[in-house]
Amino acid sequence: MLSKSAAKKFFLIGTVVCSGCFVLLTVDTVQKVPQQSHAENITPEVIHGKDLWDHNNCMGCHTIMGEGAYYAPELTKVYERRGPIFIKSMLKDPQAMFPGQRNMQKYNFTETEIDSLVAFLKWIGEVDLNGFPKKPDLVPAAPTANTAQLSELPLPTKPAVFDQVCVACHALQGKGGAVGPVLDGVGNRRNHDFLVSWLKDPLAVKADSKMPKLPLTDEQVQELANFLSQLK
Ligand code: HEC
Ligand code: HEC
């Protein structure tokens, strides 16, 4: 048993040591913030994006770094997951990216505002969060009859934009969304010229198409058309 004065000393010394550790660790963390957040990348565009994020209450539905509401997807790593083309189309018209099941409202942002929000989400995605959030697995597609046999075949080189944007709606080798048709074997039914016009503007080819016009560059269209026409 400690005597009363020994207990007092134990309490006082314990408190001082623990408080000291707490202050030192806090200072250490605060010093690391500029480095972990890449403070040098906080451009006026990023700040404008952050203002838009706050003023439009995106956090009423989404979380960033786990903070916000749990109605809509976590957006900390959305830039890496979806890429700028998907995010831009989503902010322009959410209905286009989720036909028939829109839950996010349309904001009528200008191009500059959309670019700023994308810059903000890119910056957030690059903050070093010690591994948070864990990477989600890709949504499994509705199984197709011949998936097992197809996934054995090696694929021609896949453009990066395919895995960011197209898989949201299309499945290939059993992976991806089920909004649009499965793209295995698309090269058998669609030729290169068709694919180029389709990717440039689906609505110009088929007026009631549910595939949105995506902000792809000519180079990305060519790459994708080359890739898709080889899927035989
Ligand atoms: C009313 C709730 C709501 C608000 C407010 C909202 N969103 Fe969304 N958002 C959603 C939902 C729900 C989804 C999932 C797609 C869907 O069902 O429409 C989504 C999807 C997204 C996606 C695509 C995420 C992914 O992983 O595919 C982005 C990017 C996005 N929202 C950005 C924003 C930004 C930026 C704001 C603020 C300007 C915002 N959202 C405000 C509900 C909301
Ligand atoms: C928001 C969902 C969505 C996204 C994103 C999307 N597509 Fe589509 N896509 C569709 C739908 C729906 C169709 C069927 C259109 C129709 O016939 O009305 C389609 C049709 C197609 C077709 C024609 C397929 C066929 O069998 O005739 C091709 C090729 C295609 N998409 C490629 C792509 C590529 C490449 C991307 C990525 C750059 C992409 N799509 C992104 C929804 C989407």
Side-chain angles (χ1 to χ4, degrees), residues 49 52-62 71-75 77-79 81-82 86-88 90-91 94-95 97-98 101-105 107 109 117-118 120-121 168:
L52 289 166
W53 172 266
D54 291 335
H55 290 152
N56 291 288
N57 193 28
C58 310
M59 271 204 177
C61 295
H62 291 279
Y71 175 66
E74 212 318 310
L75 294 184
K77 295 286 180 201
V78 71
Y79 188 89
R81 184 167 75 238
R82 296 296 208 181
F86 184 98
I87 300 175
K88 277 186 191 173
M90 183 77 200
L91 291 175
Q95 171 78 70
M97 298 312 277
F98 292 83
Q101 50 147 340
R102 185 191 89 171
N103 291 316
M104 176 166 147
Q105 72 266 39
Y107 276 100
F109 288 128
L117 276 162
V118 170
F120 169 64
L121 292 169

Side-chain angles (χ1 to χ4, degrees), residues 193-203 205-206 209 211:
D193 287 351
F194 173 89
L195 290 166
V196 169
S197 350
W198 180 261
L199 292 172
K200 276 194 179 146
D201 187 0
L203 298 161
V205 179
K206 186 176 168 195
S209 166
M211 175 160 154

Side-chain angles (χ1 to χ4, degrees), residues 209-230:
S209 166
K210 283 217 185 84
M211 175 160 154
K213 182 175 178 201
L214 296 160
L216 299 165
T217 61
D218 283 346
E219 203 182 320
Q220 285 165 330
V221 166
Q222 289 299 334
E223 255 181 11
L224 284 163
N226 289 344
F227 169 67
L228 294 171
S229 53
Q230 288 177 65

